Amino acid sequence: WLAPAVLFGQETGLLTSPTTKWPGIITNMDIAPTILSLLGVKPPPSMVGSPAAVLPMVSASALKKVEALEGQIIWLASYRGPVLRSLVGVQIGVYLAALAVMAWGMRPAVRLLRAIQLLLAAALAIPAVLLILPAGLWAALGMLVVLALVQLTTKDLLWVVAVIGLSTAVLVGIDTVTGSSLMRFSFLGYDPIGGARFYGLGNEYMGIMIGALIMGWVCLAELVRFDRGVTAAAAVPIFASALGVVAAPWWGTNVGGAITAVVGFGVTWGALRRMRFSWRSALALAAAVALVLGGLIFVDAVRLPEQQSHIGRTTRLVGLEGIAAVYDIIQRKLSMNLRLIRYSIWSRAWIAALGLIGASFIWPSRFIIWLVNKYPQIASGIWGTVAAGTAALVFNDSGVVAAATCVFFAATTMAVLALDYRKLKHDLLPPEAYVENNSDGH
């Protein structure tokens, strides 16, 4: 799965290339450009790969680093499938338990609502724990202790959702702008053996970051009773910063993620501002997407070739091959998405999350009316996250993965609140919990 590559005649060190931006790893596409470059021939623009370079290092140290890197990557590849299947299986199981109580309100199960809610809230912390796990087991355990303290010190699980959501988004953002050192070795991170991604923000954590930020922010706004206008105004710099992290060629370099972020953040902001969906708002959203993509293409195109991300290289390829290159890209993305929908565990997670959101419109009865009246800003965030998940599915070559991770926070938050509503219907909460005014006076 990982073939050794040795270049003789240069100084000792680690091979690296602009294709991977990962010392110790190059791709098979880099071999031909490297040979041409060593022969003094400039590789033609139609070549996808880039000439490999040497990161100077004592040969013994370089060999040691390559062996350690191989060990980490092989270990991740061996356990990634079982770990993710187990986690998604647990998530689906908890969702089914929540659906059973929401739909049928079984009296014995209703008494276990708090336990189901705690399991739902705890599941939200899994992406953050998996991200920080490469830093050491103690770091992950420390995070779990902090989250447990948050749960123990508050009766309102929305605080748990807000803290976990915002913390997860911040952690993903910090790791992305500092070189993705944690993401590279996370179960939800890159897969260099599959050749899917070597740098920037992967689709798994892209979806998590966008969904967690939207839901974390609207939950916090409801808890501190921000006016909708204040929430929307304060969201502008927050969402813009997140968009920069996702899209910048020197940070996230995720084009599909940029579209997902614009759609998700735009719909959330419009819903907070009580804007009705119309063809004008759809055109405004499309114009924002075009503006962001145009800016990305321009910024990456003016950089040196060895500094360009796949955005700039793809733009150059389209310029050379025209519509044929665009057709190949669309065909590849569709093929990958269809394959993942048929065979990937993520398609099950995505269907389960959408099923949970859809079921909430039916069971418990009048739950959606209660949600919109009591938590209007959370309802806005849910609409925005679902829109982001739809965009992630359409515009990413592993779209079902990004869609599943994006709607994860919205579906779980909705389930927690639906179970709260079920408590009300069973008189397990005091009457004032049902009629408590929100920040809009409803």
Side-chain angles (χ1 to χ4, degrees), residues 259-260 263-264 267-268 285 381-393 406-407:
I259 300 173
T260 302
V263 172
V267 171
T268 302
L285 205 57
I382 291 172
W383 289 122
T385 307
V386 171
T390 304
L393 179 67
C406 191
V407 300

Side-chain angles (χ1 to χ4, degrees), residues 75-76 100 155 169 186 201 220 241 268 326 333 343 393 417 429:
W75 185 84
L76 278 171
K155 293 182 179 180
S186 170
L201 183 60
L220 180 65
S241 299
T268 302
V326 176
K333 289 181 179 292
Y343 301 113
L393 179 67
L417 293 176
L429 288 180

Side-chain angles (χ1 to χ4, degrees), residues 91 95 102 120 124 215 349-350 352-357 360 382 385-386 404 406-417:
Q91 175 192 339
Y95 279 0
M102 287 161 51
L120 286 167
L124 292 177
M215 294 311 302
W350 175 57
L354 289 184
L356 188 66
I357 293 174
S360 299
I382 291 172
T385 307
V386 171
C406 191
V407 300
F408 170 55
F409 269 81
T412 304
T413 304
M414 209 165 180
V416 168
L417 293 176

Side-chain angles (χ1 to χ4, degrees), residues 56 105 108 130 133 147 172 188 208 237 242 273 344-345 365 369 386 390 396 418:
L130 291 180
L133 190 59
L147 294 176
V172 174
L188 280 172
I208 287 167
R273 298 287 300 174
S344 172
I345 188 67
S365 61
I369 298 174
V386 171
T390 304
N396 289 274

Side-chain angles (χ1 to χ4, degrees), residues 212-236:
L213 181 60
I214 291 175
M215 294 311 302
W217 176 243
V218 295
C219 285
L220 180 65
E222 290 282 17
L223 289 165
V224 299
R225 299 188 178 280
F226 281 161
D227 180 80
R228 292 171 72 106
V230 173
T231 304
V236 172

